[in-house]
Amino acid sequence: MNVYLAIRALFFVALLPGMVAGYVPYRLLLTTGSLHLPVLSVRSLGAALLLLMGVTVLFRCVWDFFASGKGTLAPIDPPRFLVVRGLYRFTRNPMYNGVIAALLGEAWLFHSSSLLTYSLFVLVGFHLFVVLYEEPTLTAQFQESYGAYRRSVPRWGFTTHPYEEESTRRSTA
């Protein structure tokens, strides 16, 4: 296992989603006076579950970038190999979906309309980043393998037919 890669992966998790889904929401809640200990209820448990699900999805994707892609989530240190395993078999951007789920869980947990608005801005930012930077970059880097993946797996939605790499399909047929 590449310890240096693992350290970089953890650093970029703390820096990027840590900032977007941790520090900025904390500051928003502090500024708006919405930072309070949530009352234990079915609603707060649902919100906490959504938050936990989002964080779990994020960490699963970071693991896939590390283990399969040999890279990190940072655009300056991206995976060297196209990651099409795990949750990436069902949607092209599960990491962003996880961050948005975490943000929505936080907004729900703290009953914060400002955090909900922030979540919508983050979603628009993610979409623009994916369309304007990530997809062209991945197309240039991985060419037809990314093209095949892109045609089979939706950008934001989910497919019920998990993606299989071409080499996997040929060897099992």
Side-chain angles (χ1 to χ4, degrees), residues 5 8-9 62 65-73 77-80:
L5 175 59
R8 289 192 332 259
V62 168
F65 271 30
F66 167 80
S68 177
K70 307 298 183 215
T72 74
L73 57 81
D77 189 18
R80 294 190 327 236

Side-chain angles (χ1 to χ4, degrees), residues 23-36 110 112 114:
Y23 182 73
V24 171
Y26 167 76
R27 295 299 301 177
L28 266 174
L29 292 171
L30 200 60
T31 303
T32 61
S34 300
L35 187 60
H36 54 75
F110 294 101
S112 173
S114 60

Side-chain angles (χ1 to χ4, degrees), residues 37-55:
L37 190 61
V39 176
L40 185 61
S41 68
V42 173
R43 289 177 68 182
S44 65
L45 288 175
L49 185 61
L50 180 60
L51 172 58
L52 180 62
M53 183 183 71
V55 171

